[in-house]
Amino acid sequence: MANPLYDTLFGRHAGSDAPFLHLPDGGQISYAGFLAMAARIAGHLSALGLKPGDRLAAQVAKSPEALALYAACAQTGVVFLPLNTAYTPTEVTYFLENSGASLVICDGAGREALGPIAAGLGAQVATLNADGSGSLMEGAADHSETFPTAERGADDLAALLYTSGTTGRSKGAMLSQRNLLSNAQVLKDEWRFTSDDVLLHCLPIFHTHGLFVATNVTLAAGGAMIFLPKFDVDAVLHHLPQATTMMGVPTFYTRLLDDARFDGPATQHMRLFTSGSAPLLAETHDRFSARTGHAILERYGMTETNMNTSNPYEGDRRAGTVGFPLPGVELKVCDPANGQELPQGEVGQLEVRGENVFQGYWQMPEKTAEELREDGFFITGDLGLIDERGYVQIVGRGKDLIISGGYNIYPKEIELVLDEQAGVLESAVIGVPHPDFGETVVGVLVPEAGQTPDADAIMAAAGEALARFKHPRKLIVLDELPRNTMGKVQKNILRERYGDLFTGE
Ligand code: MLC
Ligand code: AMP
């Protein structure tokens, strides 16, 4: 095939009048209409000089046009680099520098801040607003609704998705066409997606979950999506009757359960609810079953690996587990000290191998070598076990990571900002349980001798440097941090001490 990703997910729907996107205003976009939009964008990207393998960074609101940009990248062979809309210009600058993106797409309001940065890095800029206006679509309008699909192979890169790391420096996970396609096909089959499915899509489309899991599975099945700009309880309840399936992070489900309108009758017609990106509490799973009669299907994945495991479609979906390795995925529980596989039932570090596993970190061979073994196993940093029935349970994280509402936050990145502030000697950032976001960020500060750090000034500095979802929800000042005999900060002690700040337990 000339371009496996484009041909399999997009091209085969050419000429189809079947609905692809149902919009909140009642409008809809057919497959043919979507592909025409994508082809026009592809023509424009090409006219701007983008070639296969070039990187396109997009920090844009969720919209049909933003999704068509992904399809246009597949069709032109351009590597798609979506960015969280919450990232500050400071954060985006790093991604542009590191990726060497040749085109940056932002909304009109962001142009003022990003334009000079992009120009300084030799990148072009185009705008795309939430309503589809802006220079990208103006340029695209001059192009044909067909585009000669660029020749690409399954091993060519399709996307670069940045994930933070324990050192505070983000790494671009290189995802090939094969990585994305293999996972889409496996999930479509495992979760029984067909062209009759209508997925209620309220996830962001700058991460694996909303972009690849939800969208690629729908495309692979030829189904449709109710494409909402974001998660909102009222909107979900309004559109639920037209949906057959929904994918979410645990916060979606706890928020829905907090609304009495979300009940058995409202969900009776639904075929499937899936959850991932963060641990779904067994208590949430049980409440959901008791309220609706549906067992949420929990699965486990990562940016670097797409999806690794899933509870069964048919069979027991066990609360507190992430199910079985997907077909084509090998999963081992290993001793973190030496990488040796551990006996069934013992807790260790999860390692995975398969066509789903990424190609390494963009221009970071050393980081790649630390996490991706030569035999193809990826060291996930998650701690877990395989139980007596073969279900994988995630029991913790070996990596210093906070997951808030499905977004990953690496404490080091925040500590680097806090440590720079006047009057701060050092800091430790921890995640503590939070009733809405699952976990949230707490900053613990040690002042320099005789100083009183100014909390407002510190939060203002965090606002400049870091996306809002990474900001500490509370700052605590201590005389010193608890350390072990090796001098390492004992975050477990801090987590225990401040564990009930938000839950009040
Ligand atoms: C928004 N805020 C958050 C936040 N999201 N703070 C912490 N954590 C989050 N996740 C901020 C807002 O900026 C706002 O700031 C305040 O919190 C309250 O906003 P809100 O209106 O309640 O938030 P909302 O816009 O409703 O967003 C919450 C959410 C959203 C849960 C709907 O975060 C979301 O869609 N999360 C999904 C993340 C996701 O898709 N993850 C997949 C990663 S892929 P202020 O200024 O008002 O205080 C992956 C692999 C895999 O992990 O396995 O899938
Ligand atoms: P990301 O880097 O955003 O792709 O986040 C991946 C991380 O999210 C994984 O390494 C896990 O720690 C976590 N994760 C994803 N799905 C689950 C799940 N179902 N249960 C627990 N943790 C999960």
PDB file of all heavy atoms in Angstrom, residues 203-204 207-209 230-231 249 251-252 255 276-277 299-303 307 404-407 436-437 468-469 473, ligand 1:
ATOM      1  N   LEU A 203     -13.193  13.696  24.862  1.00  0.00           N
ATOM      2  CA  LEU A 203     -11.792  13.787  25.288  1.00  0.00           C
ATOM      3  C   LEU A 203     -11.066  14.838  24.458  1.00  0.00           C
ATOM      4  O   LEU A 203     -11.469  15.113  23.324  1.00  0.00           O
ATOM      5  CB  LEU A 203     -11.108  12.436  25.037  1.00  0.00           C
ATOM      6  CG  LEU A 203     -11.499  11.280  25.944  1.00  0.00           C
ATOM      7  CD1 LEU A 203     -11.243   9.945  25.247  1.00  0.00           C
ATOM      8  CD2 LEU A 203     -10.709  11.345  27.253  1.00  0.00           C
ATOM      9  N   PRO A 204      -9.990  15.390  24.987  1.00  0.00           N
ATOM     10  CA  PRO A 204      -9.171  16.248  24.126  1.00  0.00           C
ATOM     11  C   PRO A 204      -8.522  15.418  23.007  1.00  0.00           C
ATOM     12  O   PRO A 204      -8.347  14.201  23.166  1.00  0.00           O
ATOM     13  CB  PRO A 204      -8.106  16.791  25.086  1.00  0.00           C
ATOM     14  CG  PRO A 204      -8.118  15.927  26.285  1.00  0.00           C
ATOM     15  CD  PRO A 204      -9.455  15.266  26.367  1.00  0.00           C
ATOM     16  N   HIS A 207      -3.940  14.078  22.915  1.00  0.00           N
ATOM     17  CA  HIS A 207      -3.300  12.958  23.592  1.00  0.00           C
ATOM     18  C   HIS A 207      -3.731  11.643  22.955  1.00  0.00           C
ATOM     19  O   HIS A 207      -4.756  11.585  22.270  1.00  0.00           O
ATOM     20  CB  HIS A 207      -3.691  12.914  25.072  1.00  0.00           C
ATOM     21  CG  HIS A 207      -2.929  13.862  25.935  1.00  0.00           C
ATOM     22  ND1 HIS A 207      -1.573  13.985  25.875  1.00  0.00           N
ATOM     23  CD2 HIS A 207      -3.341  14.735  26.889  1.00  0.00           C
ATOM     24  CE1 HIS A 207      -1.171  14.888  26.757  1.00  0.00           C
ATOM     25  NE2 HIS A 207      -2.223  15.365  27.381  1.00  0.00           N
ATOM     26  N   THR A 208      -2.990  10.602  23.290  1.00  0.00           N
ATOM     27  CA  THR A 208      -3.252   9.262  22.758  1.00  0.00           C
ATOM     28  C   THR A 208      -4.714   8.845  22.916  1.00  0.00           C
ATOM     29  O   THR A 208      -5.296   8.264  21.992  1.00  0.00           O
ATOM     30  CB  THR A 208      -2.349   8.263  23.523  1.00  0.00           C
ATOM     31  OG1 THR A 208      -1.003   8.618  23.252  1.00  0.00           O
ATOM     32  CG2 THR A 208      -2.600   6.839  23.108  1.00  0.00           C
ATOM     33  N   HIS A 209      -5.292   9.109  24.068  1.00  0.00           N
ATOM     34  CA  HIS A 209      -6.631   8.587  24.354  1.00  0.00           C
ATOM     35  C   HIS A 209      -7.664   9.116  23.353  1.00  0.00           C
ATOM     36  O   HIS A 209      -8.360   8.346  22.690  1.00  0.00           O
ATOM     37  CB  HIS A 209      -7.007   8.955  25.798  1.00  0.00           C
ATOM     38  CG  HIS A 209      -8.137   8.149  26.361  1.00  0.00           C
ATOM     39  ND1 HIS A 209      -8.391   8.084  27.700  1.00  0.00           N
ATOM     40  CD2 HIS A 209      -9.094   7.378  25.791  1.00  0.00           C
ATOM     41  CE1 HIS A 209      -9.442   7.312  27.916  1.00  0.00           C
ATOM     42  NE2 HIS A 209      -9.888   6.886  26.759  1.00  0.00           N
ATOM     43  N   LYS A 230     -15.435  19.554  24.530  1.00  0.00           N
ATOM     44  CA  LYS A 230     -14.768  19.128  25.762  1.00  0.00           C
ATOM     45  C   LYS A 230     -15.764  18.335  26.606  1.00  0.00           C
ATOM     46  O   LYS A 230     -16.949  18.251  26.272  1.00  0.00           O
ATOM     47  CB  LYS A 230     -14.234  20.332  26.551  1.00  0.00           C
ATOM     48  CG  LYS A 230     -15.321  21.310  26.989  1.00  0.00           C
ATOM     49  CD  LYS A 230     -14.752  22.404  27.882  1.00  0.00           C
ATOM     50  CE  LYS A 230     -14.323  21.849  29.207  1.00  0.00           C
ATOM     51  NZ  LYS A 230     -14.690  22.580  30.395  1.00  0.00           N
ATOM     52  N   PHE A 231     -15.289  17.786  27.711  1.00  0.00           N
ATOM     53  CA  PHE A 231     -16.199  17.066  28.606  1.00  0.00           C
ATOM     54  C   PHE A 231     -17.015  18.062  29.415  1.00  0.00           C
ATOM     55  O   PHE A 231     -16.469  18.984  30.033  1.00  0.00           O
ATOM     56  CB  PHE A 231     -15.415  16.162  29.561  1.00  0.00           C
ATOM     57  CG  PHE A 231     -16.315  15.485  30.547  1.00  0.00           C
ATOM     58  CD1 PHE A 231     -16.989  14.327  30.208  1.00  0.00           C
ATOM     59  CD2 PHE A 231     -16.526  16.042  31.805  1.00  0.00           C
ATOM     60  CE1 PHE A 231     -17.853  13.717  31.109  1.00  0.00           C
ATOM     61  CE2 PHE A 231     -17.390  15.437  32.705  1.00  0.00           C
ATOM     62  CZ  PHE A 231     -18.055  14.275  32.354  1.00  0.00           C
ATOM     63  N   VAL A 249     -11.766   9.297  30.929  1.00  0.00           N
ATOM     64  CA  VAL A 249     -10.852   9.150  32.054  1.00  0.00           C
ATOM     65  C   VAL A 249     -11.732   9.034  33.303  1.00  0.00           C
ATOM     66  O   VAL A 249     -12.921   9.399  33.258  1.00  0.00           O
ATOM     67  CB  VAL A 249      -9.872  10.344  32.147  1.00  0.00           C
ATOM     68  CG1 VAL A 249      -9.015  10.440  30.901  1.00  0.00           C
ATOM     69  CG2 VAL A 249     -10.602  11.674  32.374  1.00  0.00           C
ATOM     70  N   THR A 251     -12.206  10.738  35.903  1.00  0.00           N
ATOM     71  CA  THR A 251     -12.913  11.965  36.320  1.00  0.00           C
ATOM     72  C   THR A 251     -14.249  12.124  35.592  1.00  0.00           C
ATOM     73  O   THR A 251     -15.227  12.608  36.167  1.00  0.00           O
ATOM     74  CB  THR A 251     -12.006  13.198  36.082  1.00  0.00           C
ATOM     75  OG1 THR A 251     -10.810  13.038  36.842  1.00  0.00           O
ATOM     76  CG2 THR A 251     -12.682  14.497  36.474  1.00  0.00           C
ATOM     77  N   PHE A 252     -14.304  11.708  34.321  1.00  0.00           N
ATOM     78  CA  PHE A 252     -15.583  11.808  33.597  1.00  0.00           C
ATOM     79  C   PHE A 252     -16.662  11.007  34.345  1.00  0.00           C
ATOM     80  O   PHE A 252     -17.800  11.453  34.499  1.00  0.00           O
ATOM     81  CB  PHE A 252     -15.482  11.217  32.182  1.00  0.00           C
ATOM     82  CG  PHE A 252     -14.645  11.988  31.191  1.00  0.00           C
ATOM     83  CD1 PHE A 252     -13.849  13.048  31.570  1.00  0.00           C
ATOM     84  CD2 PHE A 252     -14.659  11.639  29.840  1.00  0.00           C
ATOM     85  CE1 PHE A 252     -13.079  13.747  30.638  1.00  0.00           C
ATOM     86  CE2 PHE A 252     -13.908  12.324  28.902  1.00  0.00           C
ATOM     87  CZ  PHE A 252     -13.109  13.371  29.301  1.00  0.00           C
ATOM     88  N   ARG A 255     -17.655  12.430  37.792  1.00  0.00           N
ATOM     89  CA  ARG A 255     -18.524  13.611  37.623  1.00  0.00           C
ATOM     90  C   ARG A 255     -19.929  13.189  37.175  1.00  0.00           C
ATOM     91  O   ARG A 255     -20.925  13.775  37.622  1.00  0.00           O
ATOM     92  CB  ARG A 255     -17.918  14.585  36.601  1.00  0.00           C
ATOM     93  CG  ARG A 255     -16.702  15.315  37.137  1.00  0.00           C
ATOM     94  CD  ARG A 255     -16.259  16.413  36.182  1.00  0.00           C
ATOM     95  NE  ARG A 255     -15.056  17.078  36.681  1.00  0.00           N
ATOM     96  CZ  ARG A 255     -14.453  18.085  36.065  1.00  0.00           C
ATOM     97  NH1 ARG A 255     -14.931  18.559  34.919  1.00  0.00           N
ATOM     98  NH2 ARG A 255     -13.369  18.624  36.577  1.00  0.00           N
ATOM     99  N   GLY A 276      -9.677   4.817  31.084  1.00  0.00           N
ATOM    100  CA  GLY A 276      -8.224   4.659  31.098  1.00  0.00           C
ATOM    101  C   GLY A 276      -7.547   5.984  31.307  1.00  0.00           C
ATOM    102  O   GLY A 276      -8.192   6.992  31.553  1.00  0.00           O
ATOM    103  N   SER A 277      -6.224   5.965  31.210  1.00  0.00           N
ATOM    104  CA  SER A 277      -5.311   7.112  31.390  1.00  0.00           C
ATOM    105  C   SER A 277      -4.972   7.364  32.844  1.00  0.00           C
ATOM    106  O   SER A 277      -4.027   8.094  33.136  1.00  0.00           O
ATOM    107  CB  SER A 277      -5.838   8.430  30.785  1.00  0.00           C
ATOM    108  OG  SER A 277      -6.229   8.271  29.458  1.00  0.00           O
ATOM    109  N   ARG A 299      -8.999  -0.208  30.656  1.00  0.00           N
ATOM    110  CA  ARG A 299      -7.814  -0.622  29.904  1.00  0.00           C
ATOM    111  C   ARG A 299      -6.629   0.222  30.317  1.00  0.00           C
ATOM    112  O   ARG A 299      -6.776   1.236  31.010  1.00  0.00           O
ATOM    113  CB  ARG A 299      -8.119  -0.592  28.405  1.00  0.00           C
ATOM    114  CG  ARG A 299      -7.926   0.708  27.610  1.00  0.00           C
ATOM    115  CD  ARG A 299      -8.245   1.955  28.321  1.00  0.00           C
ATOM    116  NE  ARG A 299      -8.022   3.190  27.640  1.00  0.00           N
ATOM    117  CZ  ARG A 299      -6.973   4.022  27.808  1.00  0.00           C
ATOM    118  NH1 ARG A 299      -6.020   3.741  28.637  1.00  0.00           N
ATOM    119  NH2 ARG A 299      -6.902   5.150  27.178  1.00  0.00           N
ATOM    120  N   TYR A 300      -5.414  -0.203  29.906  1.00  0.00           N
ATOM    121  CA  TYR A 300      -4.201   0.478  30.361  1.00  0.00           C
ATOM    122  C   TYR A 300      -3.279   0.765  29.171  1.00  0.00           C
ATOM    123  O   TYR A 300      -3.044  -0.111  28.358  1.00  0.00           O
ATOM    124  CB  TYR A 300      -3.512  -0.418  31.396  1.00  0.00           C
ATOM    125  CG  TYR A 300      -2.025  -0.224  31.573  1.00  0.00           C
ATOM    126  CD1 TYR A 300      -1.502   0.974  32.056  1.00  0.00           C
ATOM    127  CD2 TYR A 300      -1.134  -1.263  31.285  1.00  0.00           C
ATOM    128  CE1 TYR A 300      -0.131   1.124  32.238  1.00  0.00           C
ATOM    129  CE2 TYR A 300       0.233  -1.125  31.470  1.00  0.00           C
ATOM    130  CZ  TYR A 300       0.729   0.077  31.944  1.00  0.00           C
ATOM    131  OH  TYR A 300       2.083   0.231  32.119  1.00  0.00           O
ATOM    132  N   GLY A 301      -2.831   1.998  29.106  1.00  0.00           N
ATOM    133  CA  GLY A 301      -1.924   2.351  28.013  1.00  0.00           C
ATOM    134  C   GLY A 301      -0.997   3.470  28.397  1.00  0.00           C
ATOM    135  O   GLY A 301      -0.947   3.908  29.548  1.00  0.00           O
ATOM    136  N   MET A 302      -0.253   3.916  27.430  1.00  0.00           N
ATOM    137  CA  MET A 302       0.699   5.010  27.610  1.00  0.00           C
ATOM    138  C   MET A 302       0.927   5.684  26.273  1.00  0.00           C
ATOM    139  O   MET A 302       0.739   5.057  25.224  1.00  0.00           O
ATOM    140  CB  MET A 302       2.076   4.476  28.034  1.00  0.00           C
ATOM    141  CG  MET A 302       2.151   3.842  29.350  1.00  0.00           C
ATOM    142  SD  MET A 302       3.851   3.330  29.668  1.00  0.00           S
ATOM    143  CE  MET A 302       4.623   4.898  30.001  1.00  0.00           C
ATOM    144  N   THR A 303       1.425   6.902  26.314  1.00  0.00           N
ATOM    145  CA  THR A 303       1.785   7.598  25.084  1.00  0.00           C
ATOM    146  C   THR A 303       2.781   6.764  24.269  1.00  0.00           C
ATOM    147  O   THR A 303       2.663   6.647  23.055  1.00  0.00           O
ATOM    148  CB  THR A 303       2.421   8.961  25.432  1.00  0.00           C
ATOM    149  OG1 THR A 303       1.463   9.699  26.190  1.00  0.00           O
ATOM    150  CG2 THR A 303       2.798   9.738  24.194  1.00  0.00           C
ATOM    151  N   MET A 307      -2.200   1.278  23.561  1.00  0.00           N
ATOM    152  CA  MET A 307      -2.852   0.476  24.595  1.00  0.00           C
ATOM    153  C   MET A 307      -2.157  -0.879  24.756  1.00  0.00           C
ATOM    154  O   MET A 307      -1.813  -1.530  23.779  1.00  0.00           O
ATOM    155  CB  MET A 307      -4.330   0.262  24.259  1.00  0.00           C
ATOM    156  CG  MET A 307      -5.106   1.555  24.186  1.00  0.00           C
ATOM    157  SD  MET A 307      -4.988   2.556  25.703  1.00  0.00           S
ATOM    158  CE  MET A 307      -3.812   3.813  25.228  1.00  0.00           C
ATOM    159  N   SER A 404      -3.386  13.796  37.120  1.00  0.00           N
ATOM    160  CA  SER A 404      -4.504  14.639  37.568  1.00  0.00           C
ATOM    161  C   SER A 404      -5.530  14.727  36.447  1.00  0.00           C
ATOM    162  O   SER A 404      -5.226  15.259  35.370  1.00  0.00           O
ATOM    163  CB  SER A 404      -3.949  16.026  37.910  1.00  0.00           C
ATOM    164  OG  SER A 404      -5.002  16.945  38.072  1.00  0.00           O
ATOM    165  N   GLY A 405      -6.705  14.197  36.691  1.00  0.00           N
ATOM    166  CA  GLY A 405      -7.761  14.239  35.673  1.00  0.00           C
ATOM    167  C   GLY A 405      -7.316  13.648  34.343  1.00  0.00           C
ATOM    168  O   GLY A 405      -7.783  14.062  33.294  1.00  0.00           O
ATOM    169  N   GLY A 406      -6.388  12.695  34.389  1.00  0.00           N
ATOM    170  CA  GLY A 406      -5.909  12.050  33.157  1.00  0.00           C
ATOM    171  C   GLY A 406      -4.710  12.739  32.538  1.00  0.00           C
ATOM    172  O   GLY A 406      -4.169  12.251  31.555  1.00  0.00           O
ATOM    173  N   TYR A 407      -4.281  13.867  33.091  1.00  0.00           N
ATOM    174  CA  TYR A 407      -3.079  14.541  32.583  1.00  0.00           C
ATOM    175  C   TYR A 407      -1.887  14.142  33.435  1.00  0.00           C
ATOM    176  O   TYR A 407      -1.959  14.162  34.670  1.00  0.00           O
ATOM    177  CB  TYR A 407      -3.216  16.067  32.648  1.00  0.00           C
ATOM    178  CG  TYR A 407      -4.158  16.661  31.647  1.00  0.00           C
ATOM    179  CD1 TYR A 407      -4.887  17.806  31.953  1.00  0.00           C
ATOM    180  CD2 TYR A 407      -4.318  16.109  30.381  1.00  0.00           C
ATOM    181  CE1 TYR A 407      -5.754  18.383  31.027  1.00  0.00           C
ATOM    182  CE2 TYR A 407      -5.181  16.669  29.456  1.00  0.00           C
ATOM    183  CZ  TYR A 407      -5.902  17.803  29.780  1.00  0.00           C
ATOM    184  OH  TYR A 407      -6.748  18.370  28.871  1.00  0.00           O
ATOM    185  N   ASP A 436     -12.039  14.853  42.704  1.00  0.00           N
ATOM    186  CA  ASP A 436     -12.441  15.086  41.311  1.00  0.00           C
ATOM    187  C   ASP A 436     -11.354  14.619  40.343  1.00  0.00           C
ATOM    188  O   ASP A 436     -11.627  13.886  39.389  1.00  0.00           O
ATOM    189  CB  ASP A 436     -12.742  16.575  41.121  1.00  0.00           C
ATOM    190  CG  ASP A 436     -13.289  16.898  39.730  1.00  0.00           C
ATOM    191  OD1 ASP A 436     -13.954  16.022  39.133  1.00  0.00           O
ATOM    192  OD2 ASP A 436     -13.044  18.013  39.245  1.00  0.00           O
ATOM    193  N   PHE A 437     -10.117  15.037  40.582  1.00  0.00           N
ATOM    194  CA  PHE A 437      -9.043  14.752  39.632  1.00  0.00           C
ATOM    195  C   PHE A 437      -8.291  13.455  39.928  1.00  0.00           C
ATOM    196  O   PHE A 437      -7.344  13.133  39.232  1.00  0.00           O
ATOM    197  CB  PHE A 437      -8.055  15.924  39.595  1.00  0.00           C
ATOM    198  CG  PHE A 437      -8.635  17.173  38.965  1.00  0.00           C
ATOM    199  CD1 PHE A 437      -8.569  18.396  39.605  1.00  0.00           C
ATOM    200  CD2 PHE A 437      -9.249  17.115  37.715  1.00  0.00           C
ATOM    201  CE1 PHE A 437      -9.089  19.540  39.011  1.00  0.00           C
ATOM    202  CE2 PHE A 437      -9.777  18.257  37.116  1.00  0.00           C
ATOM    203  CZ  PHE A 437      -9.711  19.472  37.767  1.00  0.00           C
ATOM    204  N   ARG A 468      -1.827  25.478  33.562  1.00  0.00           N
ATOM    205  CA  ARG A 468      -2.650  25.592  34.770  1.00  0.00           C
ATOM    206  C   ARG A 468      -2.829  24.251  35.504  1.00  0.00           C
ATOM    207  O   ARG A 468      -2.818  24.198  36.723  1.00  0.00           O
ATOM    208  CB  ARG A 468      -4.021  26.180  34.367  1.00  0.00           C
ATOM    209  CG  ARG A 468      -5.055  26.209  35.446  1.00  0.00           C
ATOM    210  CD  ARG A 468      -4.854  27.363  36.416  1.00  0.00           C
ATOM    211  NE  ARG A 468      -5.784  27.267  37.515  1.00  0.00           N
ATOM    212  CZ  ARG A 468      -5.437  26.912  38.764  1.00  0.00           C
ATOM    213  NH1 ARG A 468      -4.194  26.650  39.083  1.00  0.00           N
ATOM    214  NH2 ARG A 468      -6.359  26.847  39.715  1.00  0.00           N
ATOM    215  N   PHE A 469      -2.992  23.182  34.751  1.00  0.00           N
ATOM    216  CA  PHE A 469      -3.274  21.898  35.421  1.00  0.00           C
ATOM    217  C   PHE A 469      -2.082  21.384  36.228  1.00  0.00           C
ATOM    218  O   PHE A 469      -2.230  20.485  37.046  1.00  0.00           O
ATOM    219  CB  PHE A 469      -3.782  20.845  34.417  1.00  0.00           C
ATOM    220  CG  PHE A 469      -2.766  20.368  33.413  1.00  0.00           C
ATOM    221  CD1 PHE A 469      -1.916  19.320  33.714  1.00  0.00           C
ATOM    222  CD2 PHE A 469      -2.669  20.949  32.166  1.00  0.00           C
ATOM    223  CE1 PHE A 469      -0.986  18.870  32.788  1.00  0.00           C
ATOM    224  CE2 PHE A 469      -1.743  20.520  31.222  1.00  0.00           C
ATOM    225  CZ  PHE A 469      -0.894  19.480  31.548  1.00  0.00           C
ATOM    226  N   ARG A 473      -2.010  23.001  43.965  1.00  0.00           N
ATOM    227  CA  ARG A 473      -3.289  23.452  44.526  1.00  0.00           C
ATOM    228  C   ARG A 473      -3.110  23.891  45.973  1.00  0.00           C
ATOM    229  O   ARG A 473      -4.017  24.430  46.583  1.00  0.00           O
ATOM    230  CB  ARG A 473      -4.341  22.338  44.434  1.00  0.00           C
ATOM    231  CG  ARG A 473      -4.705  21.953  43.005  1.00  0.00           C
ATOM    232  CD  ARG A 473      -5.375  23.111  42.290  1.00  0.00           C
ATOM    233  NE  ARG A 473      -5.270  22.950  40.838  1.00  0.00           N
ATOM    234  CZ  ARG A 473      -6.287  22.943  40.013  1.00  0.00           C
ATOM    235  NH1 ARG A 473      -7.496  23.095  40.454  1.00  0.00           N
ATOM    236  NH2 ARG A 473      -6.094  22.808  38.717  1.00  0.00           N
TER     237      ARG A 473
HETATM  238  C1  MLC B   1      -8.464  21.283  33.900  1.00  0.00           C
HETATM  239  N1  MLC B   1      -7.876  21.764  35.004  1.00  0.00           N
HETATM  240  C2  MLC B   1      -7.208  20.797  35.605  1.00  0.00           C
HETATM  241  C3  MLC B   1      -7.376  19.669  34.799  1.00  0.00           C
HETATM  242  N2  MLC B   1      -8.139  19.986  33.740  1.00  0.00           N
HETATM  243  N3  MLC B   1      -6.478  20.786  36.744  1.00  0.00           N
HETATM  244  C4  MLC B   1      -5.906  19.638  37.078  1.00  0.00           C
HETATM  245  N4  MLC B   1      -6.033  18.506  36.334  1.00  0.00           N
HETATM  246  C5  MLC B   1      -6.742  18.495  35.196  1.00  0.00           C
HETATM  247  N5  MLC B   1      -6.842  17.381  34.448  1.00  0.00           N
HETATM  248  C6  MLC B   1      -7.946  23.109  35.569  1.00  0.00           C
HETATM  249  C7  MLC B   1      -8.611  24.124  34.715  1.00  0.00           C
HETATM  250  O1  MLC B   1      -7.601  24.817  34.011  1.00  0.00           O
HETATM  251  C8  MLC B   1      -9.329  25.004  35.732  1.00  0.00           C
HETATM  252  O2  MLC B   1      -8.457  25.908  36.257  1.00  0.00           O
HETATM  253  C9  MLC B   1      -9.680  24.077  36.839  1.00  0.00           C
HETATM  254  O3  MLC B   1      -8.762  22.975  36.705  1.00  0.00           O
HETATM  255  C10 MLC B   1     -11.061  23.514  36.825  1.00  0.00           C
HETATM  256  O4  MLC B   1     -11.448  23.321  35.512  1.00  0.00           O
HETATM  257  P1  MLC B   1     -12.650  22.394  35.135  1.00  0.00           P
HETATM  258  O5  MLC B   1     -13.595  23.221  34.336  1.00  0.00           O
HETATM  259  O6  MLC B   1     -13.149  21.631  36.269  1.00  0.00           O
HETATM  260  O7  MLC B   1     -11.870  21.401  34.233  1.00  0.00           O
HETATM  261  P2  MLC B   1     -12.345  20.853  32.907  1.00  0.00           P
HETATM  262  O8  MLC B   1     -12.117  21.840  31.835  1.00  0.00           O
HETATM  263  O9  MLC B   1     -13.727  20.312  33.111  1.00  0.00           O
HETATM  264  O10 MLC B   1     -11.297  19.672  32.655  1.00  0.00           O
HETATM  265  C11 MLC B   1     -11.246  18.557  33.492  1.00  0.00           C
HETATM  266  C12 MLC B   1     -11.231  17.308  32.607  1.00  0.00           C
HETATM  267  C13 MLC B   1     -10.039  17.477  31.624  1.00  0.00           C
HETATM  268  C14 MLC B   1     -11.053  16.114  33.469  1.00  0.00           C
HETATM  269  C15 MLC B   1     -12.530  17.214  31.818  1.00  0.00           C
HETATM  270  O11 MLC B   1      -8.851  17.664  32.359  1.00  0.00           O
HETATM  271  C16 MLC B   1      -9.914  16.335  30.653  1.00  0.00           C
HETATM  272  O12 MLC B   1     -10.569  16.282  29.632  1.00  0.00           O
HETATM  273  N6  MLC B   1      -9.009  15.359  30.963  1.00  0.00           N
HETATM  274  C17 MLC B   1      -8.732  14.260  30.057  1.00  0.00           C
HETATM  275  C18 MLC B   1      -7.265  14.098  29.933  1.00  0.00           C
HETATM  276  C19 MLC B   1      -6.879  13.045  28.860  1.00  0.00           C
HETATM  277  O13 MLC B   1      -7.471  12.967  27.815  1.00  0.00           O
HETATM  278  N7  MLC B   1      -5.864  12.250  29.147  1.00  0.00           N
HETATM  279  C20 MLC B   1      -5.400  11.253  28.231  1.00  0.00           C
HETATM  280  C21 MLC B   1      -3.886  11.196  28.236  1.00  0.00           C
HETATM  281  S1  MLC B   1      -3.349   9.830  27.186  1.00  0.00           S
HETATM  282  P3  MLC B   1      -8.955  27.200  37.084  1.00  0.00           P
HETATM  283  O14 MLC B   1      -8.106  28.271  36.549  1.00  0.00           O
HETATM  284  O15 MLC B   1     -10.402  27.400  36.793  1.00  0.00           O
HETATM  285  O16 MLC B   1      -8.692  26.848  38.510  1.00  0.00           O
HETATM  286  C22 MLC B   1      -2.840   8.645  28.294  1.00  0.00           C
HETATM  287  C23 MLC B   1      -2.648   7.283  27.779  1.00  0.00           C
HETATM  288  C24 MLC B   1      -3.833   6.451  28.088  1.00  0.00           C
HETATM  289  O17 MLC B   1      -2.786   8.879  29.452  1.00  0.00           O
HETATM  290  O18 MLC B   1      -3.715   5.379  28.701  1.00  0.00           O
HETATM  291  O19 MLC B   1      -4.912   6.894  27.725  1.00  0.00           O
END
